[in-house]
Amino acid sequence: MADAYCSDCKKSTEVVFDHSAGDTVCSECGLVLEAHSIDETSEWRTFANESGDNDPVRVGGPSNPLLTDGGLSTVISKPNGASGDFLSSSLGRWQNRGSNPDRSLILAFKTIATMSDRLGLVATIKDRANEIYKKVEDQKSIRGRNQDAILAACLYIACRQEDKPRTVKEICSVANGATKKEIGRAKEYIVKQLEVEMGQSMEMGTIHAGDFLRRFCSHLGMTNQAVKAAQEAVQKSEEIDIRRSPISVAAAVIYIITQLSDEKKLLRDISLATGVAEGTIRNSYKDLHPHASRLIPNWFAKEEDLRNLCSP
């Protein structure tokens, strides 16, 4: 605590500092004497990844083990304006002349980070994609191939391995021009190369319709009750032999649920939200329609509603 003059108390009183809000509060009347103040004291932190290293530092980011120098190299910035410092300019030119073995990796990691941010992916998926790309890049076998497709494929594989799968169409939307076919080919190539390196099959994780359902329902603005019913229907659909992709099953279940609810959705809107073609949704709906009474929860739709459900 410290003393400060309070305009309400008309005298010097003890004040309390609220560091979380940046407020200075009078201890007697509660008047906020200063708001959003900046704490200028030292902020000693430990940025090291190793828990045993307790050396507190105030500058620099965490090291990156995927880079040769750990990502802790010094970069000389360009001078400001035409009248910049000659020494800084000269040093910058000399640094650019030197070869940086990690330059291509740094650019690739930045691209992966940008795609991850646009898709709203967590840091663990981004880090896994960086690791996959580093393994492939070390083999020197991706020269001459579509770099954007390779990076997008690494991100797709990372999503699968972290049990947060994304559709190829979703990955394609942030892949800087790479097509679905190019990403698919790049994915097969990367998996083949890594399996040869490891000497065993590569674990990719199993895709379920439920992995995509909540995201698709959110895009369509469905109610919580409809989302819950769709989740139960998708879980029950795994007990039925339906030879359709999980994404197609999720889209068809959403279509059935919306037809039974008060807020019906057009097939075109479902196709846009899921990335599944309208014809594919219709065909999947045909496969699910005979099992509708088994899939749809009783609390969501009555038998009469299921009988009145439009035939495909």
Side-chain angles (χ1 to χ4, degrees), residues 173-195:
S173 65
V174 298
N176 298 327
T179 63
K180 291 173 59 178
K181 183 177 293 186
E182 290 173 337
I183 295 174
R185 290 175 179 173
K187 188 262 293 184
E188 297 296 333
Y189 175 79
I190 291 173
V191 171
K192 182 179 179 181
Q193 292 297 315
L194 294 182
E195 285 180 344

PDB file of all heavy atoms in Angstrom, residues 173-195:
ATOM      1  N   SER A 173      -9.261 -24.560 -48.831  1.00  0.00           N
ATOM      2  CA  SER A 173      -9.705 -23.164 -48.801  1.00  0.00           C
ATOM      3  C   SER A 173      -8.632 -22.209 -48.292  1.00  0.00           C
ATOM      4  O   SER A 173      -8.730 -20.999 -48.500  1.00  0.00           O
ATOM      5  CB  SER A 173     -10.965 -23.037 -47.934  1.00  0.00           C
ATOM      6  OG  SER A 173     -10.679 -23.339 -46.573  1.00  0.00           O
ATOM      7  N   VAL A 174      -7.606 -22.733 -47.617  1.00  0.00           N
ATOM      8  CA  VAL A 174      -6.526 -21.874 -47.089  1.00  0.00           C
ATOM      9  C   VAL A 174      -5.164 -22.254 -47.657  1.00  0.00           C
ATOM     10  O   VAL A 174      -4.138 -21.849 -47.126  1.00  0.00           O
ATOM     11  CB  VAL A 174      -6.486 -21.952 -45.545  1.00  0.00           C
ATOM     12  CG1 VAL A 174      -7.772 -21.454 -44.944  1.00  0.00           C
ATOM     13  CG2 VAL A 174      -6.203 -23.389 -45.070  1.00  0.00           C
ATOM     14  N   ALA A 175      -5.162 -23.026 -48.743  1.00  0.00           N
ATOM     15  CA  ALA A 175      -3.917 -23.627 -49.242  1.00  0.00           C
ATOM     16  C   ALA A 175      -3.252 -22.821 -50.345  1.00  0.00           C
ATOM     17  O   ALA A 175      -2.486 -23.381 -51.124  1.00  0.00           O
ATOM     18  CB  ALA A 175      -4.184 -25.044 -49.727  1.00  0.00           C
ATOM     19  N   ASN A 176      -3.558 -21.543 -50.471  1.00  0.00           N
ATOM     20  CA  ASN A 176      -2.863 -20.668 -51.430  1.00  0.00           C
ATOM     21  C   ASN A 176      -2.929 -21.178 -52.868  1.00  0.00           C
ATOM     22  O   ASN A 176      -1.931 -21.145 -53.603  1.00  0.00           O
ATOM     23  CB  ASN A 176      -1.397 -20.475 -51.028  1.00  0.00           C
ATOM     24  CG  ASN A 176      -1.246 -19.802 -49.684  1.00  0.00           C
ATOM     25  OD1 ASN A 176      -2.053 -18.964 -49.299  1.00  0.00           O
ATOM     26  ND2 ASN A 176      -0.218 -20.176 -48.944  1.00  0.00           N
ATOM     27  N   GLY A 177      -4.094 -21.685 -53.255  1.00  0.00           N
ATOM     28  CA  GLY A 177      -4.276 -22.074 -54.652  1.00  0.00           C
ATOM     29  C   GLY A 177      -4.128 -23.545 -54.949  1.00  0.00           C
ATOM     30  O   GLY A 177      -4.437 -23.978 -56.062  1.00  0.00           O
ATOM     31  N   ALA A 178      -3.643 -24.349 -54.023  1.00  0.00           N
ATOM     32  CA  ALA A 178      -3.511 -25.787 -54.253  1.00  0.00           C
ATOM     33  C   ALA A 178      -4.886 -26.428 -54.346  1.00  0.00           C
ATOM     34  O   ALA A 178      -5.780 -26.114 -53.568  1.00  0.00           O
ATOM     35  CB  ALA A 178      -2.694 -26.435 -53.137  1.00  0.00           C
ATOM     36  N   THR A 179      -5.074 -27.321 -55.306  1.00  0.00           N
ATOM     37  CA  THR A 179      -6.362 -27.968 -55.512  1.00  0.00           C
ATOM     38  C   THR A 179      -6.506 -29.200 -54.618  1.00  0.00           C
ATOM     39  O   THR A 179      -5.530 -29.681 -54.031  1.00  0.00           O
ATOM     40  CB  THR A 179      -6.521 -28.387 -56.977  1.00  0.00           C
ATOM     41  OG1 THR A 179      -5.514 -29.373 -57.300  1.00  0.00           O
ATOM     42  CG2 THR A 179      -6.354 -27.190 -57.905  1.00  0.00           C
ATOM     43  N   LYS A 180      -7.735 -29.701 -54.523  1.00  0.00           N
ATOM     44  CA  LYS A 180      -7.995 -30.888 -53.716  1.00  0.00           C
ATOM     45  C   LYS A 180      -7.208 -32.077 -54.250  1.00  0.00           C
ATOM     46  O   LYS A 180      -6.676 -32.884 -53.469  1.00  0.00           O
ATOM     47  CB  LYS A 180      -9.493 -31.202 -53.716  1.00  0.00           C
ATOM     48  CG  LYS A 180     -10.348 -30.204 -52.964  1.00  0.00           C
ATOM     49  CD  LYS A 180     -11.827 -30.477 -53.157  1.00  0.00           C
ATOM     50  CE  LYS A 180     -12.237 -31.844 -52.692  1.00  0.00           C
ATOM     51  NZ  LYS A 180     -13.682 -32.069 -52.832  1.00  0.00           N
ATOM     52  N   LYS A 181      -7.132 -32.202 -55.574  1.00  0.00           N
ATOM     53  CA  LYS A 181      -6.401 -33.322 -56.163  1.00  0.00           C
ATOM     54  C   LYS A 181      -4.913 -33.221 -55.833  1.00  0.00           C
ATOM     55  O   LYS A 181      -4.272 -34.238 -55.499  1.00  0.00           O
ATOM     56  CB  LYS A 181      -6.617 -33.337 -57.668  1.00  0.00           C
ATOM     57  CG  LYS A 181      -5.959 -34.522 -58.379  1.00  0.00           C
ATOM     58  CD  LYS A 181      -6.265 -34.524 -59.866  1.00  0.00           C
ATOM     59  CE  LYS A 181      -7.740 -34.796 -60.101  1.00  0.00           C
ATOM     60  NZ  LYS A 181      -8.017 -34.955 -61.567  1.00  0.00           N
ATOM     61  N   GLU A 182      -4.355 -32.023 -55.901  1.00  0.00           N
ATOM     62  CA  GLU A 182      -2.937 -31.842 -55.598  1.00  0.00           C
ATOM     63  C   GLU A 182      -2.649 -32.132 -54.128  1.00  0.00           C
ATOM     64  O   GLU A 182      -1.618 -32.755 -53.798  1.00  0.00           O
ATOM     65  CB  GLU A 182      -2.509 -30.416 -55.949  1.00  0.00           C
ATOM     66  CG  GLU A 182      -2.466 -30.124 -57.431  1.00  0.00           C
ATOM     67  CD  GLU A 182      -2.210 -28.655 -57.743  1.00  0.00           C
ATOM     68  OE1 GLU A 182      -2.502 -27.806 -56.851  1.00  0.00           O
ATOM     69  OE2 GLU A 182      -1.751 -28.357 -58.855  1.00  0.00           O
ATOM     70  N   ILE A 183      -3.537 -31.699 -53.246  1.00  0.00           N
ATOM     71  CA  ILE A 183      -3.346 -31.969 -51.810  1.00  0.00           C
ATOM     72  C   ILE A 183      -3.458 -33.463 -51.544  1.00  0.00           C
ATOM     73  O   ILE A 183      -2.700 -34.027 -50.747  1.00  0.00           O
ATOM     74  CB  ILE A 183      -4.368 -31.179 -50.982  1.00  0.00           C
ATOM     75  CG1 ILE A 183      -4.118 -29.670 -51.129  1.00  0.00           C
ATOM     76  CG2 ILE A 183      -4.287 -31.571 -49.505  1.00  0.00           C
ATOM     77  CD1 ILE A 183      -5.166 -28.807 -50.456  1.00  0.00           C
ATOM     78  N   GLY A 184      -4.414 -34.126 -52.201  1.00  0.00           N
ATOM     79  CA  GLY A 184      -4.564 -35.564 -52.024  1.00  0.00           C
ATOM     80  C   GLY A 184      -3.332 -36.322 -52.476  1.00  0.00           C
ATOM     81  O   GLY A 184      -2.870 -37.254 -51.788  1.00  0.00           O
ATOM     82  N   ARG A 185      -2.776 -35.943 -53.617  1.00  0.00           N
ATOM     83  CA  ARG A 185      -1.564 -36.597 -54.099  1.00  0.00           C
ATOM     84  C   ARG A 185      -0.394 -36.329 -53.175  1.00  0.00           C
ATOM     85  O   ARG A 185       0.416 -37.228 -52.897  1.00  0.00           O
ATOM     86  CB  ARG A 185      -1.241 -36.097 -55.507  1.00  0.00           C
ATOM     87  CG  ARG A 185      -2.209 -36.581 -56.582  1.00  0.00           C
ATOM     88  CD  ARG A 185      -1.879 -35.927 -57.919  1.00  0.00           C
ATOM     89  NE  ARG A 185      -2.786 -36.389 -58.965  1.00  0.00           N
ATOM     90  CZ  ARG A 185      -2.815 -35.887 -60.197  1.00  0.00           C
ATOM     91  NH1 ARG A 185      -1.991 -34.887 -60.512  1.00  0.00           N
ATOM     92  NH2 ARG A 185      -3.657 -36.357 -61.094  1.00  0.00           N
ATOM     93  N   ALA A 186      -0.283 -35.095 -52.689  1.00  0.00           N
ATOM     94  CA  ALA A 186       0.806 -34.754 -51.777  1.00  0.00           C
ATOM     95  C   ALA A 186       0.683 -35.541 -50.474  1.00  0.00           C
ATOM     96  O   ALA A 186       1.691 -35.984 -49.913  1.00  0.00           O
ATOM     97  CB  ALA A 186       0.801 -33.255 -51.492  1.00  0.00           C
ATOM     98  N   LYS A 187      -0.549 -35.699 -50.011  1.00  0.00           N
ATOM     99  CA  LYS A 187      -0.753 -36.467 -48.770  1.00  0.00           C
ATOM    100  C   LYS A 187      -0.301 -37.909 -48.938  1.00  0.00           C
ATOM    101  O   LYS A 187       0.391 -38.470 -48.076  1.00  0.00           O
ATOM    102  CB  LYS A 187      -2.226 -36.397 -48.371  1.00  0.00           C
ATOM    103  CG  LYS A 187      -2.521 -36.991 -46.995  1.00  0.00           C
ATOM    104  CD  LYS A 187      -3.050 -38.409 -47.045  1.00  0.00           C
ATOM    105  CE  LYS A 187      -4.433 -38.459 -47.679  1.00  0.00           C
ATOM    106  NZ  LYS A 187      -4.986 -39.842 -47.626  1.00  0.00           N
ATOM    107  N   GLU A 188      -0.691 -38.545 -50.052  1.00  0.00           N
ATOM    108  CA  GLU A 188      -0.280 -39.923 -50.303  1.00  0.00           C
ATOM    109  C   GLU A 188       1.239 -40.029 -50.418  1.00  0.00           C
ATOM    110  O   GLU A 188       1.843 -40.990 -49.922  1.00  0.00           O
ATOM    111  CB  GLU A 188      -0.945 -40.435 -51.583  1.00  0.00           C
ATOM    112  CG  GLU A 188      -2.467 -40.502 -51.517  1.00  0.00           C
ATOM    113  CD  GLU A 188      -2.967 -41.486 -50.474  1.00  0.00           C
ATOM    114  OE1 GLU A 188      -2.227 -42.454 -50.188  1.00  0.00           O
ATOM    115  OE2 GLU A 188      -4.075 -41.292 -49.942  1.00  0.00           O
ATOM    116  N   TYR A 189       1.857 -39.041 -51.051  1.00  0.00           N
ATOM    117  CA  TYR A 189       3.311 -39.063 -51.208  1.00  0.00           C
ATOM    118  C   TYR A 189       4.016 -38.931 -49.861  1.00  0.00           C
ATOM    119  O   TYR A 189       4.968 -39.664 -49.570  1.00  0.00           O
ATOM    120  CB  TYR A 189       3.740 -37.928 -52.142  1.00  0.00           C
ATOM    121  CG  TYR A 189       5.235 -37.782 -52.269  1.00  0.00           C
ATOM    122  CD1 TYR A 189       5.967 -38.636 -53.084  1.00  0.00           C
ATOM    123  CD2 TYR A 189       5.911 -36.784 -51.567  1.00  0.00           C
ATOM    124  CE1 TYR A 189       7.339 -38.507 -53.194  1.00  0.00           C
ATOM    125  CE2 TYR A 189       7.286 -36.652 -51.679  1.00  0.00           C
ATOM    126  CZ  TYR A 189       7.999 -37.517 -52.494  1.00  0.00           C
ATOM    127  OH  TYR A 189       9.353 -37.394 -52.593  1.00  0.00           O
ATOM    128  N   ILE A 190       3.547 -38.016 -49.016  1.00  0.00           N
ATOM    129  CA  ILE A 190       4.171 -37.811 -47.706  1.00  0.00           C
ATOM    130  C   ILE A 190       4.035 -39.054 -46.846  1.00  0.00           C
ATOM    131  O   ILE A 190       4.999 -39.502 -46.198  1.00  0.00           O
ATOM    132  CB  ILE A 190       3.542 -36.594 -47.004  1.00  0.00           C
ATOM    133  CG1 ILE A 190       3.921 -35.305 -47.733  1.00  0.00           C
ATOM    134  CG2 ILE A 190       3.985 -36.510 -45.544  1.00  0.00           C
ATOM    135  CD1 ILE A 190       3.200 -34.075 -47.216  1.00  0.00           C
ATOM    136  N   VAL A 191       2.847 -39.639 -46.828  1.00  0.00           N
ATOM    137  CA  VAL A 191       2.630 -40.853 -46.031  1.00  0.00           C
ATOM    138  C   VAL A 191       3.557 -41.971 -46.500  1.00  0.00           C
ATOM    139  O   VAL A 191       4.160 -42.688 -45.690  1.00  0.00           O
ATOM    140  CB  VAL A 191       1.153 -41.288 -46.123  1.00  0.00           C
ATOM    141  CG1 VAL A 191       0.958 -42.666 -45.490  1.00  0.00           C
ATOM    142  CG2 VAL A 191       0.255 -40.272 -45.436  1.00  0.00           C
ATOM    143  N   LYS A 192       3.696 -42.107 -47.821  1.00  0.00           N
ATOM    144  CA  LYS A 192       4.561 -43.162 -48.366  1.00  0.00           C
ATOM    145  C   LYS A 192       6.006 -42.939 -47.969  1.00  0.00           C
ATOM    146  O   LYS A 192       6.708 -43.879 -47.568  1.00  0.00           O
ATOM    147  CB  LYS A 192       4.423 -43.190 -49.893  1.00  0.00           C
ATOM    148  CG  LYS A 192       5.245 -44.274 -50.562  1.00  0.00           C
ATOM    149  CD  LYS A 192       5.040 -44.263 -52.063  1.00  0.00           C
ATOM    150  CE  LYS A 192       5.888 -45.333 -52.752  1.00  0.00           C
ATOM    151  NZ  LYS A 192       5.702 -45.320 -54.227  1.00  0.00           N
ATOM    152  N   GLN A 193       6.479 -41.677 -48.048  1.00  0.00           N
ATOM    153  CA  GLN A 193       7.863 -41.371 -47.698  1.00  0.00           C
ATOM    154  C   GLN A 193       8.138 -41.614 -46.215  1.00  0.00           C
ATOM    155  O   GLN A 193       9.184 -42.169 -45.849  1.00  0.00           O
ATOM    156  CB  GLN A 193       8.178 -39.913 -48.051  1.00  0.00           C
ATOM    157  CG  GLN A 193       8.192 -39.611 -49.543  1.00  0.00           C
ATOM    158  CD  GLN A 193       9.278 -40.365 -50.277  1.00  0.00           C
ATOM    159  OE1 GLN A 193      10.417 -40.431 -49.824  1.00  0.00           O
ATOM    160  NE2 GLN A 193       8.935 -40.936 -51.433  1.00  0.00           N
ATOM    161  N   LEU A 194       7.214 -41.218 -45.365  1.00  0.00           N
ATOM    162  CA  LEU A 194       7.419 -41.389 -43.927  1.00  0.00           C
ATOM    163  C   LEU A 194       7.323 -42.864 -43.530  1.00  0.00           C
ATOM    164  O   LEU A 194       8.022 -43.303 -42.607  1.00  0.00           O
ATOM    165  CB  LEU A 194       6.395 -40.561 -43.147  1.00  0.00           C
ATOM    166  CG  LEU A 194       6.527 -39.033 -43.301  1.00  0.00           C
ATOM    167  CD1 LEU A 194       5.483 -38.317 -42.444  1.00  0.00           C
ATOM    168  CD2 LEU A 194       7.923 -38.571 -42.913  1.00  0.00           C
ATOM    169  N   GLU A 195       6.468 -43.614 -44.195  1.00  0.00           N
ATOM    170  CA  GLU A 195       6.385 -45.048 -43.895  1.00  0.00           C
ATOM    171  C   GLU A 195       7.675 -45.754 -44.283  1.00  0.00           C
ATOM    172  O   GLU A 195       8.120 -46.682 -43.587  1.00  0.00           O
ATOM    173  CB  GLU A 195       5.193 -45.653 -44.628  1.00  0.00           C
ATOM    174  CG  GLU A 195       3.848 -45.298 -44.010  1.00  0.00           C
ATOM    175  CD  GLU A 195       2.682 -45.908 -44.759  1.00  0.00           C
ATOM    176  OE1 GLU A 195       2.882 -46.355 -45.921  1.00  0.00           O
ATOM    177  OE2 GLU A 195       1.582 -45.947 -44.188  1.00  0.00           O
TER     178      GLU A 195
END
